[in-house]
Amino acid sequence: YPTSDAATPSIIDKLVSGGADVRIDNQRRKQVIEFLSTYVLPLVMLANLFALVFVATKGGGGGLSGLSEFASIGKGRGQGDGGGVTFADVAGADYAVIELREVRDYLADPSKFAALGALPPKGIMMFGPPGCGKTLMARAVAGEAGVPFFPVSGAEFVESLVGVGAARVRDLFRQVRSVAPAIVFIDEIDAVGRRRGGASGGQDEREQTLNQLLIEMDGFDATSGVVVMGATNRPDILDPALLRPGRFDRQVTVEPPDFDGRIEILKLYAERRPREGEVDYANLARRSPGFTGADLANVVNEAALLCVRREKAAISMAELEEAVDRVISGPKRRGHLMSDEERRRIAYHEAGHVLVAAATNRLADVPRVSVAAHGHTLGHTAARTWAEQTLITRSELFSEMTTLLAGMATEELIFGEASTGSEADIERAGAIAQMMAGRYGMTEAIGKVPLLRNEGSGFLGSELIPAETVGTAELSVLHSETARLVEEADQAALTVVERNRAVLEELVALLLEHESIEGDPLVAVLAKVDAGAGRARGRRRAAANAAGIML
Ligand code: ADP
């Protein structure tokens, strides 16, 4: 090797003069590689690193907010107006549709409400199991009013980065306001709307998102024309702040259709398709208790598929029957079908509730009782809530407990034993009893001493914690007083049910036939209920005196 480049030419000269064949490789490739590895490669790696960080944040919609990514929530979806769906596409859910008509009226002409100073519906919360048509109904409202529809899922707002969800909510509402009147539909709202202030940490993001949602909703006025519709299957875990007036203050329960509802839904779907022969809808509805609207739509679809497979031109009863069986056994069906025995039990349970609710004046203004629901809440009885009350008297609390325990008491009376269906009932009744004894000073044994601190803001569902000064002795009195209140309410429920056995049987027969009863027919049956008020009160007072409670 030459020691320096200066020597190179003389070496070459020597070699050439000696007769050697000299070729010169000036190492250009090596230079290129050297250049790439010292300058380009680090740059590429840096750029990659940036891109990685960027994608990570951007996936969350941009901690680098202002970037258009999070605007994609609802973007381009708000253009439609519910996809041309109207109330005519919703069957077997008349009670829910009635509630939604007013929203339609408002959206169609918000100025009419503003002129009268009427407060518009701002938020409608739809409760019900999946597949019962919550999305469909929200779409139908948009379709009927001819306004844009913005569907989002609650889960889309929940991100690991604090602040992103809130930014998304802000952006979504900015977008919606610019095209108002419009509907925002938040599916699975429980993902954001869960009760705040839980013990577990790391909930900041969800809380911020929820707060932002509440702020946005508070910001509407009568003329804004924005209606937010939320849907959830878990009303029990929602933050109470969401359901306050001015937010989601209307609540619509969307349940699986009852017998008549199922007939209507089947008809709706079947009659849009070519059919042959008589279709016995009542028969199909009888064979599909507990089916949701989505299941029934699926039945008709399965029947059509069967026809395709059999190369038939029209759907007949045979295919529909087979389709019902397919959907029952199909993998898509959540939950299970109720057996007749279960249905009978649920009917008695619910009839017990409604009977005692009527006897103790705890029936909702629009009474309704249904055994069509399944899954989370088996049956359903519309009982009065405390929402519109500031003060609740002791006897009202006691009546509520009685009504709650009536389902279980009836089951025990009729079947000789209880079932697991009363879980939520006894939990709520127990909570009321505990409140009465430990917070409201409504028992004599404890007296007017609050043994429990209320850690929440609400009435029920807030966490009760023993006050610091309370010892185990007091807690055991609290426990026995709670148990005694529950026991007493249970007895009271049993008394009412026993006294009204005939009405009970009548209700059960109606429920087994129609699956749900509401309005006038229900009121007519319940008019026969013997509340035994005077006697019951007298007896209760005597028992209470003996037991040392104030009534
Ligand atoms: P949810 O939002 O309650 O989970 P969806 O609205 O998504 O339910 O319902 C799914 C499908 O089931 C709808 O698109 C519709 O085809 C059908 N469906 C459900 N309920 C009804 C109903 N009451 N009337 C007509 N179709 C229904």
Side-chain angles (χ1 to χ4, degrees), residues 89-93 129-137 185 187 265 268-269 293-294 297:
D89 297 299
V90 184
C132 289
K134 297 186 292 296
T135 315
L136 182 76
M137 283 182 220
F185 176 71
D187 205 359
I265 297 176
L268 178 77
Y269 286 98

Side-chain angles (χ1 to χ4, degrees), residues 18 86 109 148 193 217 219 228 235 245 289 292 311 318 340 384 397 422 483 502 526:
T86 66
D109 186 7
M217 293 193 70
V228 186
T292 63
E311 297 181 357
D340 285 349
R384 198 186 290 271
L397 286 170
S422 309
L526 292 178

Side-chain angles (χ1 to χ4, degrees), residues 351 355 500-508 525-526 528-530:
L355 188 73
N500 292 286
R501 264 305 275 274
V503 185
L504 181 76
E505 296 299 339
E506 194 176 339
L507 277 169
V508 168
V525 181
L526 292 178
K528 299 176 205 158
V529 171
D530 171 13

Side-chain angles (χ1 to χ4, degrees), residues 8-201:
T8 310
S10 62
I11 295 173
I12 293 172
D13 280 347
K14 256 188 203 153
L15 288 169
V16 172
S17 62
D21 174 17
V22 177
R23 260 174 288 158
I24 296 164
D25 175 4
N26 58 14
Q27 300 276 297
R28 199 159 266 143
R29 284 233 317 273
K30 207 165 150 192
Q31 280 173 20
V32 171
I33 289 172
E34 211 164 87
F35 175 77
L36 284 178
S37 61
T38 43
Y39 298 104
V40 181
L41 193 66
L43 273 178
V44 170
M45 281 167 69
L46 268 175
N48 256 323
L49 205 70
F50 272 121
L52 215 74
V53 173
F54 187 65
V55 167
T57 46
K58 197 173 127 170
L64 318 161
S65 63
L67 285 165
S68 59
E69 173 64 18
F70 61 83
S72 76
I73 282 205
K75 191 180 183 178
R77 296 184 238 175
Q79 311 312 324
D81 51 359
V85 178
T86 66
F87 287 144
D89 297 299
V90 184
D94 300 341
Y95 54 95
V97 169
I98 289 169
E99 294 272 331
L100 296 174
R101 276 188 204 281
E102 194 192 357
V103 183
R104 190 255 336 250
D105 294 343
Y106 166 67
L107 284 168
D109 186 7
S111 61
K112 204 158 62 185
F113 279 64
L116 283 168
L119 284 181
K122 275 186 186 175
I124 292 98
M125 187 66 81
M126 293 190 287
F127 298 132
C132 289
K134 297 186 292 296
T135 315
L136 182 76
M137 283 182 220
R139 259 182 212 290
V141 175
E144 289 267 337
V147 301
F149 184 69
F150 290 81
V152 294
S153 163
E156 286 177 63
F157 292 118
V158 181
E159 293 289 343
S160 50
L161 281 167
V162 175
V164 174
R168 286 185 175 195
V169 172
R170 232 181 348 259
D171 203 72
L172 171 68
F173 280 92
R174 193 180 310 132
Q175 215 183 319
V176 174
R177 262 189 284 255
S178 67
V179 295
I183 290 184
V184 180
F185 176 71
I186 309 178
D187 205 359
E188 293 170 47
I189 195 164
D190 45 288
V192 269
R194 212 169 282 230
R195 210 175 279 279
R196 283 172 297 185
S200 51

Side-chain angles (χ1 to χ4, degrees), residues 91 257-289 291 296-297 299-301 303 314-321 323-324 513 515:
D258 59 11
F259 178 72
D260 297 328
R262 290 200 297 277
I263 294 182
E264 278 179 47
I265 297 176
L266 282 168
K267 263 193 191 150
L268 178 77
Y269 286 98
E271 293 188 351
R272 288 175 182 172
R273 294 172 166 83
R275 278 158 298 121
E276 64 179 21
E278 268 301 294
V279 175
D280 183 355
Y281 291 107
N283 179 353
L284 295 172
R286 204 165 299 123
R287 295 167 50 149
S288 53
F291 271 38
L296 294 167
V299 164
V300 179
N301 189 48
I315 302 173
S316 71
M317 186 66 188
E319 280 85 32
L320 283 166
E321 280 183 332
V324 171
E513 186 181 347
E515 289 184 15

Side-chain angles (χ1 to χ4, degrees), residues 246-264:
R247 285 139 180 195
F248 288 97
D249 46 3
R250 310 256 162 127
Q251 280 131 41
V252 179
T253 310
V254 183
E255 290 166 352
D258 59 11
F259 178 72
D260 297 328
R262 290 200 297 277
I263 294 182
E264 278 179 47

